[in-house]
Amino acid sequence: MALVIPLKIGTSCLVLLAACSTTYIVGSPLESRPRSVGCVPGDCGDLSQQIAVTYLGVSGILIEHQGHALLTAPFFTNPPLPLVARSPRRLFLSSARISPDARAIERLLPKAADGASAILVGHGHYDHLMDVPYIANHRAKVAVIYGGPSIRHMLMGDSALRSQSERLVPIPVEASATRDRNGEWFYTSDSAFRFMALFSGHAPNFSFLRRDYTFAAGVVTSDMDSLPPTAGDWKLGEPYSYIIDVLGGVGRGTIFRIYFQDAPSEPPLGFPPQELLTEHPVDLAILCAATSSNVRAAPDSLLGVLQPPSVLVTHWESFFRSQTLPEELGRGTNVDAFMLSLGRSLPIAATWAMPRPQATFRFRAVVRE
């Protein structure tokens, strides 16, 4: 199910980790009209040609096709705000130790995720990476984890993953794509997916005393002896967006292309090269709502480049409360501005949705000659 938020919500409060205490409980579904995103049940064709995309919350996505699966870093632990941030005098960082909530992960991670061949990580903040070691060790036990070099250095702090270090693949910055150059394709071991990292950025989380502040900024340059203990120790690292291709088997090539973003970037960071889009346009764009209004022309300029027929808006809900509770709009999510951007920047026939966690959308394969 997608999400609806009352329109008069006063979304001028853009501070992610600070003083905005008003909460907004979401209501019924919000999506574009006149038709739904993807294909409706009974009109999706043969199951073998369907691609299922499930929103897991924050920026976690499960992509499935013909029994194969790929994950983007799932996060279910959702520690409460006092364990993450305190006051401006403490630079908004808490010294409290946080760790994965195994019960939440086991309850909320779909069974299909166990067979994932890859986990893609866009950046290293705790709400994107902290649950990955547990998932890789206990559920998606064959998945290879891809991300920037900092991702590998932090995950080497997990002894089980350190003993299987071949599962931790760093994507160097020079292998990522920019608006002006192609990057390197990486293929999953089952040949069901390929993906290319796009050199990106991360919007400031908030402004304080006329200065922009990005939570837990910085990179990690050497392997850690143990996993980061506090929220502030999970560093941003090298931020990437991804082009993810669902492959149709021998001789069929790309049958569905997804653009995935887990943090808004200052344009043109995160833009794919035009050559890539000419080869095969984006069929679905997955965009991050949180802090998007903290960078200029986001997501308008990106939408102008991608021109996707479908959009899923993620990372909109508060990740300081359990997924078992009613969803609240996340601090730093200006939904009003994001919806206006979608309305003015998407093709007229395009559809979009802001899904609730665990919502699944189905799409038909798109074969282009």
Side-chain angles (χ1 to χ4, degrees), residues 82-278:
L83 294 183
V84 175
R86 289 186 177 172
S87 70
R89 289 179 296 178
R90 297 287 300 275
L91 296 179
F92 297 92
L93 299 178
S94 170
S95 59
R97 299 180 70 90
I98 57 175
S99 59
D101 183 341
R103 291 181 64 184
I105 295 170
E106 293 294 348
R107 178 174 181 174
L108 297 168
L109 184 66
K111 180 66 176 175
D114 293 2
S117 55
I119 302 174
L120 308 188
V121 183
H123 67 277
H125 283 160
Y126 80 95
D127 57 315
H128 296 261
L129 190 56
M130 188 177 75
D131 284 357
V132 168
Y134 180 92
I135 291 168
N137 289 327
H138 296 89
R139 297 290 303 273
K141 296 180 181 180
V142 300
V144 177
I145 303 165
Y146 297 84
S150 294
I151 302 302
R152 186 181 195 275
H153 289 317
M154 286 189 281
L155 293 184
M156 285 291 281
D158 179 86
S159 59
L161 289 177
R162 190 186 312 123
S163 68
Q164 306 174 68
S165 58
E166 69 280 359
R167 295 179 64 195
L168 304 176
V169 177
I171 302 176
V173 171
E174 57 269 23
S176 65
T178 68
R179 181 178 61 175
D180 302 315
R181 70 161 195 260
N182 264 330
E184 180 181 344
W185 284 112
F186 292 82
Y187 289 76
T188 56
S189 58
D190 54 10
S191 300
F193 306 93
R194 69 174 183 174
F195 49 90
M196 182 184 294
L198 309 173
F199 184 71
S200 300
H202 192 294
N205 293 99
F206 57 86
S207 295
F208 182 64
L209 299 178
R210 298 185 178 181
R211 296 188 63 181
D212 290 336
Y213 181 83
T214 301
F215 180 80
V219 299
V220 181
T221 58
S222 60
D223 293 348
M224 299 186 69
D225 296 326
S226 58
L227 291 172
T230 73
D233 292 320
W234 291 93
K235 297 300 182 183
L236 171 66
E238 303 79 11
Y240 293 145
S241 299
Y242 290 95
I243 292 288
I244 305 170
D245 283 355
V246 181
L247 303 178
V250 178
R252 294 197 63 201
T254 298
I255 62 170
F256 198 75
R257 174 161 286 180
I258 299 170
Y259 176 92
F260 171 79
Q261 170 201 78
D262 69 2
S265 298
E266 184 75 20
L269 295 176
F271 285 21
Q274 187 58 48
E275 175 186 345
L276 205 61
L277 300 179
T278 301

Side-chain angles (χ1 to χ4, degrees), residues 52-54 56 61-72 74 76 105-119 135 138-143 190 193 358 360 362:
V53 178
T54 302
L56 303 177
I61 299 291
L62 171 64
I63 304 168
E64 298 174 80
H65 176 62
Q66 291 188 347
H68 301 280
L70 179 145
L71 285 166
T72 65
F76 304 106
I105 295 170
E106 293 294 348
R107 178 174 181 174
L108 297 168
L109 184 66
K111 180 66 176 175
D114 293 2
S117 55
I119 302 174
I135 291 168
H138 296 89
R139 297 290 303 273
K141 296 180 181 180
V142 300
D190 54 10
F193 306 93
Q358 305 301 322
T360 297
R362 296 188 179 277

